[in-house]
Amino acid sequence: MSYILSFLSMIAGVVYLVVGVTTYTLNKKSTIGKAFLLLTASMALWSFSYSHAYVTENIYIFGFWNKLSAFGWCLFPALTLYMVFALTKDRFLDSTLKCALLFAPAALFCYMDLFVFFPGKPYSHGAYRFFQIANPVYSYAYTLIGIVKLVLWQHNTPYKIVKKQVRIILSTAICTYLLSMAGEFLVPLFIPGFLNCTQVFGVIMILGIYCAIRKYNFLLTPNELIVNELFEETMDFEFLVNLKGMITRVNRQVLKTLGYSLEDLASVSFEELLREEKGKRFSEWLNEDNIKTKHFNNVTIRTKAGENIPVNMSIVPISNSRNELVLGYLIIAQDIRAMEELKREMESHQETMIKLRNSEELFRTVTQTIPYGIICSKRSDKAVFYVNKYAEVLFERDFNSIININAELLYHNKAFRERLLELVRKEGQAVNQVGIMRRPTGEFLAMVSMAPAIYKGEEVVFGCISDITEQNRLKKDAVKSEEMLNKLMDSIPDLVMVTDIEGNINYCSKNIESFLGYSTEQEGFPKNILDFLEEGKEKAFGNKLPEILHNDINILQTTYKRKDGKVRIAEIKASALKDEDKEAFGYVFVARDITEYKRKEEKLARRKAEVEEINKRLLKSNEVFKEKAVKDSLTNLYNHEYIITLLKREIKKQRQEPKGLAVMMMDIDYFKKVNDTYGHQAGDKVLIKISEIIQESIGENDYAGRYGGEEFLVILREGQTEDTALKAAERMKERISNCIFENNELHVTISIGLVLHYGESAHELIKKADKLLYQAKYNGRSRIERSMEHDN
């Protein structure tokens, strides 16, 4: 049974570690996630410690593992209740004093287990009784409070997803709670000696929490972090609202253009920004059962100053891609005033071209202020030499990654660009066409205005591009694809590289020069990520690329070379880029230099090994010193002081629960004659030989000690009766009488005083046994004198 519990505890410890670390990596900024990691770590420590404690037979080793596990089982109830309070946002945690009181019982019981109770040493019976009663009360009371708190929270919350999350956690927590109580209070009534294993039952609750995490987003990244990443550079008006239609977040464009502050929009319903009839329609739509994406044209949104702005609006439900649960709504409003502005710009386009020929500064000023993408490329080699800020946003590329590329790569079909150029050549002025453009995340429908120009004496092509598609498609995909959001959160860059499926570099973050010593503008910049690796590492790293396609996040370590030739160590987080059909089309690599970290790690490892070696030597020395302190140096039996200590301990146990105890006082007959006749060295050998016979003749649970010069004290423990004690004494007497020493002429006998314990103290029991020994000597030696309840 002990080995089965040991195996189950080991498995439970592994489960706790895997679940805790996996959950923590989903959102390292979450306070609840950190509390959950501490909870699983304490349970893992408890389980691992008891997996060793169950199978040990040495009381001191058991005590070590039990004390190590105390950090787990003492903290588990307090950490569980703390996590419940944090999850339900209870004001109890606002007070530092209350938080300290929450963990006070855990500290008290941990202290008592570590410093009050020691194996083989006496301790206060009252303290032990307090610990036996108060510790279970603390554990089960804290757990019950947490369960009641979750029940109330589930009842009061208006959100369906929260109810589903808490329902899973409650069912598994109650199951664990009942199993633990049954294992501690009920089962021992029917199975004596049953060992409770709450640390194994806790796996049910932890797996329930993990199920809520994976299925219903429990403990995952909050909406605020997602929105901050998603809305960082968007140009349309974007609102994030909850299930009740209340605004929870807006992008910068809303604050800048509409004139509102964050305080103005806090806890405001979105329908208040619309005209009355549209606001009512918005509320009706939120209450529909089958919610899908809705599109509204020519909707009016009011600014803080009271101005009405016409927009085309799309309302997109934000749902989990795995279970289709609706989490909130993303509202995207495109200011259609820009469309009219675009028409006016097209009419004056030719005039603008003339001005641009005369003033490059005016050209840059105008292109950076108008809300359209400007792309300028050379007629000769089609290379892009200028883009404005809006073009960077429109094509989702930074300035460095788009400059000098072939302009045809920005078009879905290069024939469309050639057709525009032909029209420009024939008409000699700007032309406007609708076509499909390309960016890294997909394609979009655009209105393209193209015109010829002269720049520094060279023929160039001026392109003015505006997105006229339903721009919410890619945003909706990004919100609904939790996989992509997780990658965005996890890929906070040190150095970021985006490549195609062959490893050819499409994009590098701006810190490439500080990391590798290269600049993307320099000639000879490597075209493939394998070119940065140390010589000989390319093949091994290239073989790992296919593995990345099958895993969400891959962490690799490799060595790379800087431009100056120095070799460094990097930790690379790699993930595959996939389209809507889950087909991979490239990779994202996030690299971090860990050279100094690895050096420190190696130094610490060497230091740790040295410390461990010193600890081993100290432990070995302690064992030797401990054994010398309680053993007789000649016979290797317990010395006089320690055999008396053992006898007092056994008598104390007998008073609590009598199980039969016998004591033998033995003395070698005529030992002085042996020393006088054969010498003291021969006498020492006789003492050693007789000590070995005594040790071999008693049971594993019995004790033997050297009481005096040639006098020995034997303690026969547990279950001793008149017959068993007398048989043991006779067996010992016979073996000593028949013992053959190196000197064949040498022969010794032993006299024994045997007594059973009937409530005497250690001093009284030894005095009685010594008196019987003297009587055996007086009656002729080589005999046993006994004093028992029924003497024959």
Side-chain angles (χ1 to χ4, degrees), residues 440-466:
T441 56
E443 300 170 342
F444 63 96
L445 190 65
M447 178 175 288
V448 182
S449 177
M450 186 176 288
I454 300 297
Y455 178 72
K456 293 184 179 180
E458 184 177 359
E459 290 186 359
V460 297
V461 178
F462 179 93
C464 182
I465 302 167
S466 177

Side-chain angles (χ1 to χ4, degrees), residues 95-137:
S95 170
T96 305
L97 177 61
K98 291 180 180 180
C99 287
L101 292 175
L102 179 68
F103 285 91
L108 173 63
F109 295 126
C110 188
Y111 173 82
M112 292 184 71
D113 189 78
L114 291 175
F115 302 109
V116 176
F117 308 120
F118 290 93
K121 292 186 178 181
Y123 47 79
S124 171
H125 182 70
Y128 185 68
R129 289 294 296 167
F130 169 77
F131 185 84
Q132 282 185 316
I133 296 172
N135 185 43
V137 171

Side-chain angles (χ1 to χ4, degrees), residues 436-505:
I436 299 176
M437 306 299 290
R438 179 186 296 167
R439 54 189 169 196
T441 56
E443 300 170 342
F444 63 96
L445 190 65
M447 178 175 288
V448 182
S449 177
M450 186 176 288
I454 300 297
Y455 178 72
K456 293 184 179 180
E458 184 177 359
E459 290 186 359
V460 297
V461 178
F462 179 93
C464 182
I465 302 167
S466 177
D467 188 352
I468 59 173
T469 62
E470 297 285 346
Q471 295 185 25
N472 65 322
R473 184 174 65 86
L474 291 177
K475 296 182 181 69
K476 179 188 69 174
D477 290 343
V479 174
K480 294 182 69 175
S481 173
E482 193 161 8
E483 177 185 10
M484 182 62 74
L485 286 177
N486 286 336
K487 289 176 183 174
L488 285 172
M489 297 302 107
D490 291 336
S491 298
I492 299 173
D494 286 329
L495 170 64
V496 178
M497 286 188 178
V498 179
T499 72
D500 61 16
I501 202 69
E502 301 296 330
N504 297 313
I505 299 171

Side-chain angles (χ1 to χ4, degrees), residues 9 31 160 191 216 233 248 257 277 285 368 461 565 570 624 643 656 676 693 696-697 736 754:
S9 290
T31 301
K160 294 181 180 178
I191 306 177
Y216 296 111
E233 296 295 337
T248 60
T257 305
E277 65 278 6
W285 180 81
Q368 291 294 347
V461 178
V624 173
I643 194 67
Q656 295 175 351
D676 294 341
I693 294 173
E696 293 170 357
S697 300
I736 293 173
L754 173 63

Side-chain angles (χ1 to χ4, degrees), residues 639-689:
N639 58 30
H640 177 89
E641 292 79 6
Y642 196 67
I643 194 67
I644 297 300
T645 300
L646 292 175
L647 179 59
K648 291 179 179 179
R649 183 186 301 171
E650 292 304 315
I651 289 175
K652 184 177 180 180
K653 291 181 180 179
Q654 289 293 315
R655 290 172 179 171
Q656 295 175 351
E657 186 178 358
K659 291 186 178 181
L661 178 70
V663 173
M664 288 191 290
M665 184 71 76
M666 300 182 292
D667 186 84
I668 302 174
D669 297 328
Y670 301 111
F671 184 70
K672 184 176 183 304
K673 183 177 179 180
V674 173
N675 283 330
D676 294 341
T677 304
Y678 301 101
H680 286 281
Q681 290 184 350
D684 289 344
K685 291 181 180 179
V686 169
L687 289 172
I688 293 171
K689 184 65 177 179

Side-chain angles (χ1 to χ4, degrees), residues 196-212:
N196 192 16
C197 49
T198 300
Q199 76 280 7
V200 177
F201 298 147
V203 171
I204 300 174
M205 181 183 71
I206 296 301
L207 289 179
I209 297 175
Y210 188 67
C211 177

Side-chain angles (χ1 to χ4, degrees), residues 732-754:
M732 204 175 300
K733 172 177 166 296
E734 287 298 320
R735 291 189 63 181
I736 293 173
S737 298
N738 297 327
C739 178
I740 300 175
F741 297 92
E742 293 180 1
N743 190 334
N744 294 332
E745 297 178 358
L746 181 59
H747 176 75
V748 297
T749 60
I750 194 164
S751 298
I752 301 174
L754 173 63

Side-chain angles (χ1 to χ4, degrees), residues 120-244:
K121 292 186 178 181
Y123 47 79
S124 171
H125 182 70
Y128 185 68
R129 289 294 296 167
F130 169 77
F131 185 84
Q132 282 185 316
I133 296 172
N135 185 43
V137 171
Y138 149 70
S139 178
Y140 290 111
Y142 268 42
T143 307
L144 183 60
I145 292 171
I147 291 174
V148 172
K149 187 70 178 175
L150 287 175
V151 170
L152 295 175
W153 187 44
Q154 179 195 22
H155 180 266
N156 294 329
T157 182
Y159 303 113
K160 294 181 180 178
I161 187 172
V162 174
K163 291 182 181 293
K164 292 181 179 181
Q165 292 169 353
V166 179
R167 192 176 298 118
I168 293 176
I169 298 171
L170 272 176
S171 60
T172 53
I174 292 172
C175 181
T176 299
Y177 186 77
L178 295 177
L179 285 174
S180 299
M181 291 194 69
E184 184 159 351
F185 302 112
L186 184 61
V187 176
L189 298 177
F190 303 96
I191 306 177
F194 177 78
L195 299 174
N196 192 16
C197 49
T198 300
Q199 76 280 7
V200 177
F201 298 147
V203 171
I204 300 174
M205 181 183 71
I206 296 301
L207 289 179
I209 297 175
Y210 188 67
C211 177
I213 292 170
R214 302 306 300 174
K215 190 173 183 182
Y216 296 111
N217 301 328
F218 185 61
L219 300 180
L220 290 187
T221 307
N223 288 337
E224 288 83 355
L225 294 178
I226 298 174
V227 173
N228 284 340
E229 292 292 334
L230 187 61
F231 289 2
E232 186 65 25
E233 296 295 337
T234 185
M235 301 299 292
D236 292 332
F237 304 142
E238 295 194 359
F239 305 83
L240 192 68
V241 302
N242 60 22
L243 297 175
K244 296 181 178 180

